[in-house]
Amino acid sequence: MRSWSLYLVWFFALLLPLGGQAQGVLNAKDHFLLGAAKLKCNACEIAVDDFSTAIELSVDYPEAYYGRSLAYACQDKLDEALLDIAQAIRYSPNEVLYREARGRFKAQVGDTLGAIADFKLAIQMDSTCWQAWYGLAEQQFGRRNYEAALTNYNETLRLQATFTMGFIRRSELYIRIESYESALSSLDRAAELEPEYPVIYQLMALAHMEMGVYNLALKSANKAIKLDPSFAMAYYVRGESYYRTENYRKADVDFEACLNLEKNYAPAWYKRGLCHNIMGDLKGAKKFLTKAVKKDPVQVPYWVSRAELYEKMENGKKAIADISKAISLRDSDPVLYRKRGWLNLGEENFQQAIRDFEETLREDAQDADAWLGLGDATHLSGNPQEACRSWAQALSLGSKKAKDQLGKYCRE
């Protein structure tokens, strides 16, 4: 709702000079004002009718096209919104907010480059258009162009020093680049402007948590939850803070609360799985980790954690299947091949174990554990000389177990 409220703030800033009140027979301006009033009340669907009537009475009425474009955007009818904003620009090509609005609509349909072009054009037309600076920053943030995004958030806030969302989004960027003190400074300003907005305190909790200041993280998360008990992410951050301080039962309670509000949030399922694994509830851990991989199957740590759980449950075949899935997602990771090598060794898949350890060593020739595993696998597959060479290499890299293997099987 807050992002939608930005539309209305900017729209009514444009509307102010029009003034007026509908009297007698309604003309195009009267219908426009009726539509604007309904839009202000979020009656977007019926606002379209009034804007449409205004356009029928005055086909070259740019403000009506602009208003209708916002009403369409309010209903997520972005194709219609883009058509209307194009008409507004056609009839009033020098109105900077129309260019800025088109940038926002393009951003919403995923046309990032088109959005950036419109925001830059709006800035060229009027360098004080803080809305365009903000839109540009948002697109650059989304593209992970953090340096440029930060510059443009700063310019937004220089031009509009009371824009709470600008401080919030800048703090999120600072958190992303691990500049936590700067994030907290930005959030302090946001809290001054809008002290009852819970997301501010959720982000404070996140910044404090990443700094390892868990008492302040918990305090901020508690405030966010008090302000909005339905705020799923506040429970998640509080749960993560409990998890990092090894209070797994409280962490699990918060992750569960998060999921009661946002059942598709895979990280919370994942963390519940880890909590239950640590607390010894392997059946529960399996259930929650399985939920995690189903909700977000491209996350390598989810597959690895479930594989480790299956290994603990002595189900090597399923552990191998999960590590293989992780490898399919990140096939250049030597650690994953080494993990699968040991699992294959445990299942007496000696040739596959050899291939996995060799793949590890292609990526990292200094991996002592991989040399040790290669030695074990080649020994068990009937190649003692090659095994001794691998164990000797493992010993040279610091493997104590390799010394035992060499003493037991390579005495010559």
Side-chain angles (χ1 to χ4, degrees):
M1 284 303 296
R2 286 176 184 269
S3 61
W4 169 243
S5 70
L6 295 179
Y7 287 156
L8 300 185
V9 170
W10 302 331
F11 176 59
F12 286 101
L14 186 66
L15 174 60
L16 284 175
L18 295 173
Q21 181 176 353
Q23 295 179 355
V25 177
L26 300 183
N27 59 27
K29 181 177 176 181
D30 297 327
H31 283 287
F32 168 77
L33 292 172
L34 285 170
K38 291 170 184 176
L39 184 61
K40 188 173 185 179
C41 296
N42 289 318
C44 303
E45 187 172 353
I46 58 176
V48 167
D49 295 335
D50 289 297
F51 290 129
S52 297
T53 302
I55 291 166
E56 288 172 8
L57 293 170
S58 180
V59 71
D60 58 350
Y61 196 167
E63 291 93 344
Y65 285 108
Y66 179 48
R68 193 169 69 175
S69 76
L70 294 178
Y72 279 135
C74 169
Q75 302 173 72
D76 291 325
K77 295 180 178 180
L78 293 167
D79 290 340
E80 291 91 334
L82 283 164
L83 289 172
D84 271 355
I85 201 64
Q87 286 294 87
I89 291 169
R90 176 187 174 194
Y91 292 117
S92 186
N94 295 322
E95 176 50 62
V96 65
L97 286 181
Y98 298 168
R99 304 284 181 173
E100 184 277 331
R102 187 169 68 178
R104 278 185 282 125
F105 298 154
K106 286 181 178 179
Q108 285 183 275
V109 298
D111 181 9
T112 301
L113 294 178
I116 288 172
D118 271 323
F119 291 134
K120 286 183 175 179
L121 180 57
I123 291 166
Q124 288 174 9
M125 293 169 67
D126 180 359
S127 63
T128 68
C129 181
W130 61 271
Q131 300 95 326
W133 286 106
Y134 177 70
L136 185 57
E138 288 285 273
Q139 296 310 298
Q140 290 164 334
F141 190 6
R143 290 168 64 84
R144 302 184 181 181
N145 188 350
Y146 299 137
E147 184 176 355
L150 181 58
T151 297
N152 291 318
Y153 282 130
N154 289 341
E155 185 64 13
T156 301
L157 294 168
R158 186 186 71 80
L159 293 167
Q160 184 66 298
T162 59
F163 182 35
T164 306
M165 188 57 67
F167 287 103
I168 290 171
R169 291 294 287 160
R170 187 174 69 176
S171 76
E172 292 184 86
L173 188 153
Y174 278 133
I175 290 171
R176 185 75 59 84
I177 63 175
E178 301 181 7
S179 182
Y180 303 118
E181 292 285 0
S182 296
L184 289 168
S185 177
S186 197
L187 289 165
D188 284 340
R189 178 59 179 147
E192 290 174 10
L193 292 167
E194 201 163 350
E196 300 302 307
Y197 191 20
V199 73
I200 295 169
Y201 306 101
Q202 180 258 332
L203 290 169
M204 285 181 175
L206 181 58
H208 284 304
M209 182 185 74
E210 295 296 353
M211 294 171 70
V213 187
Y214 298 113
N215 61 323
L216 294 181
L218 292 169
K219 181 180 178 180
S220 295
N222 287 338
K223 186 165 185 177
I225 291 167
K226 184 177 180 180
L227 288 169
D228 183 2
S230 66
F231 190 8
M233 288 309 302
Y235 289 103
Y236 180 79
V237 174
R238 191 172 71 176
E240 180 70 14
S241 297
Y242 282 132
Y243 181 86
R244 294 190 187 190
T245 54
E246 300 182 4
N247 193 335
Y248 302 115
R249 293 196 181 280
K250 283 189 175 181
D252 184 53
V253 169
D254 273 343
F255 294 138
E256 182 179 20
C258 171
L259 290 165
N260 286 337
L261 296 163
E262 183 54 69
K263 65 180 181 180
N264 292 319
Y265 192 56
W269 288 113
Y270 174 60
K271 283 302 175 73
R272 284 207 80 187
L274 297 185
C275 286
H276 281 256
N277 188 5
I278 292 167
M279 293 188 295
D281 176 18
L282 302 189
K283 184 178 179 181
K286 176 186 170 184
K287 172 185 173 181
F288 298 131
L289 290 175
T290 298
K291 284 277 191 180
V293 298
K294 286 183 177 179
K295 298 293 182 184
D296 192 353
V298 300
Q299 294 298 323
V300 169
Y302 298 0
W303 294 102
V304 172
S305 292
R306 195 173 69 167
E308 291 172 348
L309 176 65
Y310 278 135
E311 185 178 10
K312 185 186 287 189
M313 297 171 76
E314 299 182 354
N315 191 331
K317 290 182 179 179
K318 286 191 174 181
I320 290 169
D322 275 4
I323 288 293
S324 296
K325 179 63 178 180
I327 288 171
S328 74
L329 294 167
R330 195 165 68 198
D331 65 359
S332 61
D333 189 338
V335 173
L336 296 179
Y337 281 102
R338 171 158 49 79
K339 283 179 177 292
R340 192 172 69 178
W342 283 109
L343 288 167
N344 274 308
L345 190 59
E347 291 296 301
E348 300 184 359
N349 301 325
F350 302 132
Q351 294 306 314
Q352 182 57 55
I354 290 170
R355 287 191 289 271
D356 283 334
F357 290 127
E358 287 176 341
E359 189 64 37
T360 302
L361 294 167
R362 268 192 283 274
E363 296 290 334
D364 182 6
Q366 303 303 305
D367 190 325
D369 197 47
W371 282 111
L372 174 66
L374 183 60
D376 288 358
T378 51
H379 170 72
L380 291 168
S381 65
N383 192 341
Q385 289 184 334
E386 190 62 35
C388 291
R389 281 193 286 269
S390 295
W391 287 327
Q393 186 65 30
L395 178 62
S396 72
L397 292 169
S399 172
K400 293 180 180 179
K401 190 173 180 182
K403 183 177 181 180
D404 294 336
Q405 299 292 73
L406 283 165
K408 190 181 299 184
Y409 299 111
C410 308
R411 292 178 180 151
E412 290 183 6

